[in-house]
Amino acid sequence: MKPLSILLFTLGICCIRPTAAQKPVSLAFSNQLDKESETVRLMAELQQIKAWEVLVTGKIAGLSYTLQTVHCINGKEQRSTPIDPQHVTSDTLRLLFFTQPIGQDSVRILIHTPQYKTAFGHTVQGAGDCILLEPFPEKDQTTTDIIPVMAFSSGAPTKFNIGGETVSGISFCRVRDSHLHPSKWHEQFKLKDYLYFEIKFTKPQRPENK
């Protein structure tokens, strides 16, 4: 083999990136209140409680994950301290999100996973007009991506025609069905203050030998 051919062959090997670790991941969303009795649904509506389930499915058994809250204010993102890495025991990870506005500009959030449960308050301008929204992905997701799994947001300002009159309102469907990453919602829909939650998978760290 000529020297030039050997060099090109070597460079080709060096440019190969391993892709075996990239496994497809899918998300499935369901409104938990749809499964409840009419009485429970009415009580939740009276208290403005929202409850959604997210099923994260893929070759994820044996991996670890962290969950992080992202607060987007006028397009600038503030990330909370992520939870400690949690171990995934099966290929489907079930996440539950509950929210309840407390006043007009704050919200109470409860997140329940197979490994832990946490509840906390968060300031969000106009929280009383926000709901849990499914962040439908804009591209196929893999275990190497940081994946938005749920959001708490208002809808996009829009105009409606009611009885021949044009009125102002908001559309949650426009935001959800846009299939845009939540980080782009401010620019696309002029949303000023909202939250989203993202998950990141990692390989478990091996204990150091002493």
Side-chain angles (χ1 to χ4, degrees):
M1 185 179 292
K2 295 181 180 180
L4 180 59
S5 300
I6 295 174
L7 176 61
L8 292 174
F9 179 74
T10 304
L11 289 174
I13 294 177
C14 294
C15 291
I16 295 175
R17 295 182 179 180
T19 58
Q22 296 183 5
K23 302 294 184 180
V25 173
S26 63
L27 303 178
F29 305 94
S30 62
N31 187 339
Q32 291 299 282
L33 294 176
D34 290 343
K35 305 175 183 179
E36 302 295 337
S37 67
E38 182 182 13
T39 300
V40 172
R41 292 198 303 270
L42 289 173
M43 291 175 62
E45 182 180 354
L46 182 65
Q47 301 176 68
Q48 294 183 278
I49 294 174
K50 306 297 181 184
W52 278 81
E53 174 192 73
V54 185
L55 297 180
V56 185
T57 305
K59 296 295 183 181
I60 57 177
L63 298 178
S64 295
Y65 73 92
T66 57
L67 195 62
Q68 191 169 31
T69 303
V70 183
H71 189 187
C72 188
I73 306 175
N74 294 321
K76 296 181 179 179
E77 295 186 343
Q78 301 175 358
R79 281 175 163 75
S80 67
T81 302
I83 63 166
D84 293 333
Q86 306 293 318
H87 187 68
V88 186
T89 58
S90 72
D91 283 337
T92 296
L93 177 62
R94 183 174 186 250
L95 307 174
L96 292 173
F97 293 85
F98 301 84
T99 60
Q100 181 184 27
I102 306 298
Q104 183 60 25
D105 297 321
S106 63
V107 60
R108 187 72 174 165
I109 301 169
L110 187 148
I111 302 175
H112 187 277
T113 80
Q115 294 80 19
Y116 77 103
K117 179 174 65 176
T118 182
F120 56 94
H122 214 297
T123 300
V124 177
Q125 184 179 1
D129 298 321
C130 296
I131 65 171
L132 286 172
L133 277 179
E134 314 98 292
F136 291 148
E138 58 183 348
K139 66 180 184 67
D140 293 337
Q141 304 283 0
T142 73
T143 50
T144 61
D145 293 318
I146 301 176
I147 305 172
V149 291
M150 185 52 65
F152 180 75
S153 174
S154 177
T158 190
K159 300 289 185 180
F160 296 94
N161 188 298
I162 301 179
E165 294 185 8
T166 301
V167 297
S168 299
I170 57 174
S171 172
F172 296 106
C173 294
R174 279 188 60 201
V175 178
R176 179 194 63 196
D177 296 340
S178 67
H179 288 258
L180 290 175
H181 191 282
S183 62
K184 301 177 182 178
W185 289 357
H186 167 73
E187 181 179 359
Q188 181 70 23
F189 303 111
K190 310 305 180 185
L191 301 183
K192 296 181 179 180
D193 198 348
Y194 59 93
L195 306 172
Y196 67 92
F197 310 89
E198 56 186 21
I199 192 170
K200 179 181 180 181
F201 292 101
T202 57
K203 290 184 178 180
Q205 294 183 353
R206 295 180 180 179
E208 296 181 0
N209 295 326
K210 297 183 178 180

